[in-house]
Amino acid sequence: MKFTNDLGSDNIKGLVWTLAVPSMLSQLVSVLYSIVDRMYIGNIPSNGTQALAGVGVCGPIVTLISSFAFLVGIGGAPLVSINLGEKNIDAAKKVIANCFVYILSLAVPVTVLAYIFRRPILLTFGATEAVYPYAETYFSLYLIGTVFALTATGMNQFIITQGHSRSGMFSVLIGAIINIVLDPIFIFALHMGVAGAAIATVISQVASCAFVLCVLFGKHIEVPITFGGYDLKVIGRVTSIGMSAFLIILFDNVMLISLNMMLQRYGGDNSDMLLTCNTIVQSFELLITMPLGGLTMGTQTILGYNLGARRPEKILRAQRYIFVIAVSFCALMTLAAQTIPHLFAGIFTKEPEYIAMTARLIRIYTLGTVLLGMQYEIVDGFTGMGVVKIALPLSVFRKVVFFACIFILPRFLPIEQIFFCEPISDIFPPLVSILVYALTIKRVINRGPQKQTA
């Protein structure tokens, strides 16, 4: 199978680009799920700003739920790539078989619990009484597609880790195109508003899930989904590796939820306006973090494969290219954030006051973005090689700094200054990560993979 065999190629630069570009594009396209929804919702006549604030409250909660997909996908993908590097196809099949059952067993109860407790969840995590009806409508309908969304996102990692980054991109692209086409039809033509945006998203998630399963059950992939060989030890190993990615995404969204809560608490009469502006700010941030995550997670398979094949020099070469791409991308996005944020804000709302505030907040929020590229590759690189004991503390440290800023800054400064929590956490923790990486990477890549249970 051509793509998997190419993971051992001596052309590391070409291999990085081959995996990085489709992975980044797929994540960029996936941002359209939320951005297109928010763009149309923000332009609903008469109540667009409140509806946008309501959907913005749902955003981090929905992404928090999606973290269960990464628990399984990111947890299992390194094991598959390491096994492929060791030429142990049977072990790789066993990992994917267990992960498929695992993700379904998580998706169903998560969906049910989220629906049952949707009111306290939304009110606790930032919804005001004015925006709650919009948040509740969107969230309730969105949950219909949660099982499909988690399955598509989680199992797509097993397509990418076998070198099929283009197929991984197509799975996201299919859903995004369907969502983009259906949004204006349901929201405006059928006058369904927020409900229409949620229904369009659900349909697109079903389509993405169908494509992923067709690929993984097909005959043209080296390690397909099979049945049998279920082993709690394998699931435990997947969980131990995936816990890093799971907690990273979970904490990221708990931080955003906490940010909404503090804006609601200290925003006074401007709380709804701040929630709306923050929704747009977070949409811009997704344009940075999603492609960046696509780059660092999409290239994990190179690191895991070559760790399994005991080729440390190729790991270092690959990471040098990944670092350059990540930092260059972050620098480009920082330039855009500092020069044209008003153009981005104008996509979501036509109210000058909202545009001016959002542009100001985007400039603050992205001041430390360049170093974020280093942080992502260091943490995801260690995760891709199964070194959770280094990846997780580095990630958690950044979250702790962010949390501290969220709860300290509003007590002493005007509420708008809370947005400095992001650049503070994007500068100082990455500097620590760079130091740890420099001190540990050679020891990690020269030890070889730990004995696997599958």
Side-chain angles (χ1 to χ4, degrees):
M1 195 267 291
K2 182 178 184 297
F3 285 106
T4 297
N5 292 335
D6 281 352
L7 292 175
S9 170
D10 290 330
N11 182 14
I12 295 296
K13 182 178 180 180
L15 184 57
V16 168
W17 280 106
T18 297
L19 293 176
V21 172
S23 296
M24 292 183 75
L25 288 176
S26 68
Q27 293 303 310
L28 180 61
V29 168
S30 71
V31 175
L32 296 176
Y33 275 104
S34 58
I35 288 183
V36 170
D37 279 353
R38 295 174 185 183
M39 179 183 71
Y40 285 125
I41 289 169
N43 287 281
I44 294 174
S46 75
N47 59 1
T49 54
Q50 286 187 331
L52 183 58
V55 174
V57 169
C58 295
I61 302 172
V62 165
T63 310
L64 187 151
I65 292 173
S66 74
S67 62
F68 287 94
F70 290 99
L71 172 65
V72 181
I74 300 301
L79 295 179
V80 172
S81 60
I82 290 172
N83 284 321
L84 288 173
E86 296 174 337
K87 309 301 181 184
N88 193 344
I89 303 300
D90 289 338
K93 288 181 178 180
K94 185 175 180 180
V95 172
I96 294 181
N98 278 270
C99 287
F100 183 53
V101 173
Y102 189 17
I103 201 164
L104 292 177
S105 69
L106 289 174
V108 174
V110 165
T111 300
V112 172
L113 290 173
Y115 183 80
I116 293 173
F117 296 104
R118 64 192 185 283
R119 180 174 176 82
I121 289 173
L122 293 170
L123 290 177
T124 301
F125 294 153
T128 64
E129 290 295 337
V131 304
Y132 174 79
Y134 305 102
E136 196 275 338
T137 297
Y138 185 88
F139 190 60
S140 297
L141 291 170
Y142 178 91
L143 288 173
I144 296 172
T146 300
V147 173
F148 301 101
L150 295 184
T151 302
T153 302
M155 297 309 296
N156 197 35
Q157 299 301 318
F158 298 103
I159 297 176
I160 295 170
T161 201
Q162 295 182 59
H164 292 276
S165 55
R166 292 179 183 175
S167 293
M169 178 183 69
F170 288 144
S171 73
V172 178
L173 186 62
I174 289 169
I177 291 174
I178 292 173
N179 192 54
I180 292 169
V181 171
L182 293 182
D183 259 340
I185 296 174
F186 288 154
I187 294 173
F188 299 113
L190 299 180
H191 306 288
M192 297 177 69
V194 170
I199 293 172
T201 300
V202 169
I203 294 172
S204 66
Q205 289 167 343
V206 172
S208 292
C209 182
F211 179 85
V212 168
L213 294 182
C214 283
V215 172
L216 286 174
F217 278 113
K219 298 180 180 179
H220 301 292
I221 193 163
E222 183 168 323
V223 188
I225 295 175
T226 55
F227 296 98
Y230 303 122
D231 188 340
L232 289 178
K233 290 183 179 179
V234 175
I235 292 177
R237 178 64 175 154
V238 168
T239 303
S240 68
I241 295 175
M243 188 58 66
S244 175
F246 172 74
L247 292 176
I248 289 169
I249 297 170
L250 185 146
F251 286 145
D252 277 342
N253 289 282
V254 170
M255 290 188 306
L256 298 182
I257 290 168
S258 300
L259 179 57
N260 281 335
M261 292 170 62
M262 298 304 282
L263 291 174
Q264 181 191 39
R265 179 176 179 180
Y266 289 97
D269 294 338
N270 289 328
S271 60
D272 284 349
M273 180 179 180
L274 285 167
L275 286 171
T276 300
C277 293
N278 186 41
T279 299
I280 303 173
V281 171
Q282 298 308 324
S283 296
F284 187 87
E285 184 70 3
L286 285 175
L287 288 175
I288 300 172
T289 58
M290 291 291 280
L292 183 59
L295 164 65
T296 56
M297 288 190 290
T299 52
Q300 281 178 332
T301 187
I302 303 174
L303 310 183
Y305 183 94
N306 284 293
L307 187 69
R310 298 185 182 276
R311 297 167 179 166
E313 75 287 349
K314 291 190 176 182
I315 296 174
L316 290 177
R317 285 166 57 198
Q319 287 202 298
R320 283 197 292 269
Y321 292 124
I322 298 167
F323 280 130
V324 170
I325 297 171
V327 172
S328 299
F329 172 73
C330 288
L332 180 63
M333 294 305 295
T334 299
L335 179 63
Q338 298 302 315
T339 56
I340 55 171
H342 55 286
L343 298 181
F344 184 79
I347 297 173
F348 297 85
T349 179
K350 303 304 179 187
E351 298 187 29
E353 186 178 5
Y354 281 77
I355 293 175
M357 176 178 284
T358 301
R360 185 164 62 251
L361 297 181
I362 288 176
R363 289 191 177 99
I364 292 173
Y365 208 73
T366 56
L367 287 173
T369 294
V370 172
L371 281 177
L372 191 61
M374 299 291 289
Q375 173 77 5
Y376 264 63
E377 172 51 21
I378 291 170
V379 172
D380 287 344
F382 281 129
T383 301
M385 292 183 284
V387 192
V388 180
K389 64 181 181 180
I390 297 179
L392 185 56
L394 292 178
S395 179
V396 169
F397 176 60
R398 179 171 173 265
K399 314 309 179 190
V400 169
V401 172
F402 190 101
F403 268 119
C405 293
I406 283 179
F407 291 104
I408 292 173
L409 292 179
R411 297 179 182 274
F412 303 100
L413 299 171
I415 186 59
E416 285 188 25
Q417 306 306 310
I418 195 175
F419 286 88
F420 277 102
C421 63
E422 181 70 20
I424 292 172
S425 64
D426 285 349
I427 294 174
F428 297 107
L431 292 175
V432 173
S433 296
I434 292 170
L435 177 61
V436 171
Y437 176 84
L439 294 174
T440 62
I441 185 60
K442 288 188 178 180
R443 174 171 55 85
V444 168
I445 63 178
N446 284 305
R447 67 167 170 76
Q450 297 175 351
K451 183 67 177 176
Q452 304 301 324
T453 59

